[in-house]
């Protein structure tokens, strides 16, 4: 198993945002987490990345990583694309991408990763010298994804990537996620667009009030009447 989370709990002061969550992602698997705002989805990703205080155990390929620093977790291939992209707005597209390869010391590998990103997002090559804050919302999401890929991830944590994007860019994003996963990169996707995320993923977890309320194959959950009513607008 690539990722295993056991009895995860996340607190903000005295408020418990995540309560005894158990979750797993296999090598190359595409898993999604859906749920209402405040259900604990982002907190779970942040705990995996080591950027919020938490209790419980987080294992990556048999190694316990919940006691490691965010930098050490990233160095092991767990890379998060945060909600809102969190780019370096005053830096160029090229410099943002190179920041993603900060831990990579082999320039040949950095160059190869850059070409891979440009093949996936040709518009970024055209915009290479532009400042990140001059890009459209969809282009910024491409840049945030490209920056994450520069780190050579084995597990990509994607937090609300479709937020604020047009339907056309959401379609492009869907294809991008599938293409990335086909390369063997495991994805754990947190997404408000439940219809899209259940269509893309193989398995899903439904969070309610900080807990896992349901889990199973995405296609099976998409057929459940309560899921249809609560998250799919049917």
């Amino acid at each position: 198993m690539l990722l295993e989370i056991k009895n995860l709990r996340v607190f903000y002061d005295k408020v418990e945002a995540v309560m005894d969550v158990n979750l797993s992602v296999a090598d190359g698997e595409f898993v999604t987490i859906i749920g209402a705002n405040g259900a604990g989805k982002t907190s779970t990703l942040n705990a995996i990345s080591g950027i919020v205080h938490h209790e419980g155990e987080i294992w990556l390929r048999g190694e316990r990583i919940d006691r490691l620093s965010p930098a050490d977790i990233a160095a092991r291939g767990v890379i998060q694309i945060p909600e809102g992209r969190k780019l370096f707005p005053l830096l160029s597209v090229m410099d943002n991408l190179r920041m993603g390869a900060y831990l990579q010391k082999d320039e040949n590998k950095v160059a190869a990763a850059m070409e891979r990103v440009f093949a996936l997002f040709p518009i970024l090559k055209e915009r290479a010298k532009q400042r990140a804050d001059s890009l459209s919302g969809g282009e910024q999401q491409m840049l945030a994804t490209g920056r994450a890929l520069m780190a050579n991830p084995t597990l990509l944590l994607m937090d609300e990537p479709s937020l604020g994007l047009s339907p056309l860019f959401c379609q492009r994003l869907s294809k991008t996620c599938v293409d990335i996963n086909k390369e063997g990169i495991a994805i754990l996707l947190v997404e408000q667009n439940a219809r899209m995320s259940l269509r893309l993923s193989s398995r899903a977890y439904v969070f309610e009030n900080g807990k896992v309320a349901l889990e199973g194959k995405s296609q099976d959950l998409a057929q459940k009447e309560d899921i249809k009513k609560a998250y799919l607008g049917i």
Side-chain angles (χ1 to χ4, degrees), residues 5-184:
I5 297 176
K6 302 177 182 180
N7 305 118
L8 179 67
R9 303 175 73 190
V10 177
F11 295 86
Y12 297 100
D13 293 326
K14 295 182 180 180
V15 177
E16 190 169 8
V18 176
M19 310 173 193
D20 291 320
V21 161
N22 293 277
L23 181 152
S24 65
V25 180
D27 278 288
E29 192 176 22
F30 196 142
V31 177
T32 191
I33 303 173
I34 64 173
N37 285 331
K41 307 185 302 298
T42 293
S43 293
T44 297
L45 294 193
N46 289 342
I48 297 169
S49 296
I51 58 178
V52 295
H53 177 72
H54 56 276
E55 298 178 2
E57 300 178 10
I58 302 175
W59 295 78
L60 184 73
R61 288 184 171 156
E63 178 189 8
R64 189 167 176 180
I65 63 170
D66 52 90
R67 298 167 181 169
L68 300 180
S69 70
D72 286 337
I73 293 171
R76 283 160 174 75
V78 179
I79 305 299
Q80 184 170 350
I81 304 174
E83 181 180 351
R85 293 124 202 173
K86 302 296 191 296
L87 299 171
F88 300 98
L90 303 184
L91 297 184
S92 69
V93 167
M94 182 66 77
D95 286 340
N96 268 273
L97 291 175
R98 292 192 70 86
M99 287 298 292
Y102 177 78
L103 295 174
Q104 178 58 259
K105 305 305 179 185
D106 187 329
E107 283 299 318
N108 290 326
K109 290 184 178 180
V110 172
M114 192 76 72
E115 287 305 310
R116 172 193 186 198
V117 169
F118 286 155
L120 192 60
F121 305 115
I123 192 67
L124 295 183
K125 190 170 186 177
E126 296 177 22
R127 305 274 197 268
K129 295 182 180 180
Q130 288 185 215
R131 278 179 22 173
D133 61 0
S134 73
L135 303 181
S136 70
E139 290 166 350
Q140 288 187 16
Q141 185 59 52
M142 292 178 188
L143 180 54
T145 304
R147 181 180 62 184
L149 293 175
M150 290 294 295
N152 192 29
T154 54
L155 174 61
L156 198 56
L157 309 177
M158 305 182 74
D159 193 359
E160 304 287 4
S162 75
L163 189 66
L165 299 188
S166 69
L168 177 60
F169 265 107
C170 284
Q171 290 178 11
R172 293 179 182 177
L173 175 66
S174 296
K175 183 180 183 304
T176 298
C177 289
V178 170
D179 289 344
I180 291 171
N181 186 236
K182 283 181 178 177
E183 292 184 9

